[in-house]
Amino acid sequence: MEWPGLLPSSSAKTLPLLNKEIISCTACPRLVQWREEVAVTKRKAYEAEKYWGKPVPSFGSDKPKLMIIGLAPGAHGANRTGRIFTGDSSGDWLYGSLHRAGLATIPTSTSIKDGQQLIDTRIACAVRCAPPDNKPSIEERDTCAPYLTKEIEIASKTSTAYVALGSFAWNAMIKSLRELGHTIPTTKFSHGAKITFLDGSRTITLIGSYHPSQQNTFTGKLTKPMLDKIFKQAAKAAEIG
Ligand code: SF4
């Protein structure tokens, strides 16, 4: 099938410049339509708010030691607030855990004005626009992939640890690292899955975690101690704190 959108590419040399490119992307027609439609129709609880309604940039350190990779923005979370994992239940879980691991300055993430700062840590997503039902298509995943690859390429100058939230992010992270020339053994995603490889003289650690979606947290598939264990491990691998 011919892809109707304008395929993204990036010549950014820094993570802030990459964020600027991402924010203006319109490559995926279905996602552009959905992110903008949600921003107009809104959820009743947020009808007085102005939704972001654009691709959601990465958040955190511009020279991260630890990279966290999620799936995609939530329709009424990051697509509303403009900051990744901000303003929904997944974000409550994620930032709470990051705070307990010494990776975030406050335990909550409610808006871009809440003062939250990540410590040597950056959060990106495999797909930057909110998808219907939280499910990007294969074409959308592949269309957005150059941004993740570029982000990892720049971040890898300082990052020695990566956490992927869910199998979608796990596979996207490994694909990007392979495209950058790293030899990554094929390892099936699981909560706590771990891969290490050498980048020159540095040991790089990849860790898999269940995504803190309501589907996992409401059912008890993912608990706070399980998530905390992942981020304590990641902080240690990245030598933060
Ligand atoms: S998902 Fe990625 S490639 Fe598609 S429109 Fe959004 S930013 Fe662009």
Side-chain angles (χ1 to χ4, degrees), residues 4 27 37 41 62 76 92 102 105 114 121 123 128 135 159 161-162 168 187 193 210 225 236:
E37 186 185 317
T41 54
D62 293 336
H76 301 280
D92 293 343
T105 54
D114 62 9
T121 299
I123 306 175
R128 314 289 176 141
K135 284 190 186 134
S159 291
Y162 297 78
F168 189 98
T187 305
Y210 289 145
K236 194 170 170 203

Side-chain angles (χ1 to χ4, degrees), residues 59-109:
F59 172 60
S61 170
D62 293 336
K63 292 186 177 165
K65 294 180 180 175
L66 168 64
M67 281 286 304
I68 298 166
I69 300 158
L71 166 57
H76 301 280
N79 188 57
R80 171 173 60 91
T81 61
R83 192 170 75 196
I84 201 65
F85 280 103
T86 294
D88 60 15
S89 160
S90 298
D92 293 343
W93 274 68
L94 178 61
Y95 286 94
S97 189
L98 292 178
H99 181 64
R100 291 189 290 277
L103 300 170
T105 54
I106 57 175
T108 55
S109 184

